[in-house]
Amino acid sequence: AYLEHHGIDADALAGLRVVECSINLLAGDAAVLVREIEAAELADLRLVVIDTLNRAMPGANENSSEDMGRMVAAADAIAGRFECAVMFLHHSGKDESRGARGHSSLRAAMDFELAVTRDGDVRTISLA
């Protein structure tokens, strides 16, 4: 429906693969995700998107250096295995000017941070 609404040919997303099951990167599901990616036999993998960080760490504490450190380690393992980038979709805190919520080790481990804002129908992506 999205493609049709925006007049985009489905071939434009030919390389997109979606893992439709929930994963818990803190309970060993990084290995499950790696197997799913390997099974897809993607010759030109460039990016793995984890949507959202919070959903990939159920029951864990975003404010804990230990839990956030384990999430960073899981992302590093995936990135290292496939020589690709790993992106967490994450939410800002109540004070958007302070950036992503949770422990500062997440921000310390980032190569870059993008912020998406909305003003009516206009969405803007910027470096945070």
Side-chain angles (χ1 to χ4, degrees):
Y2 178 88
L3 296 176
E4 186 175 312
H5 177 78
H6 292 282
I8 300 171
D9 187 347
D11 290 341
L13 298 179
L16 176 68
R17 300 294 184 273
V18 177
V19 175
E20 295 187 19
C21 64
S22 296
I23 59 169
N24 182 343
L25 292 178
L26 299 183
D29 286 353
V32 172
L33 182 56
V34 165
R35 284 194 303 273
E36 289 282 336
I37 294 169
E38 289 172 340
E41 298 181 0
L42 303 172
D44 201 23
L45 180 65
R46 297 283 187 245
L47 176 65
V48 172
V49 179
I50 309 295
D51 182 9
T52 63
L53 175 79
N54 185 270
R55 287 185 180 187
M57 56 185 294
N61 182 350
E62 289 180 342
N63 296 310
S64 161
S65 63
E66 292 83 10
D67 289 347
M68 198 60 78
R70 291 172 52 213
M71 289 299 288
V72 169
D76 286 346
I78 294 165
R81 169 64 184 85
F82 296 106
E83 297 181 359
C84 68
V86 175
M87 178 191 310
F88 286 122
L89 297 185
H90 192 41
H91 299 279
S92 60
K94 292 176 185 172
D95 179 355
E96 291 182 16
S97 69
R98 295 181 64 199
R101 64 186 196 204
H103 195 270
S104 61
S105 61
L106 178 63
R107 178 167 259 174
M110 286 189 242
D111 292 321
F112 61 91
E113 180 179 5
L114 300 174
V116 179
T117 56
R118 181 177 180 172
D119 184 9
D121 290 338
V122 176
R123 291 171 183 85
T124 303
I125 298 174
S126 58
L127 284 171

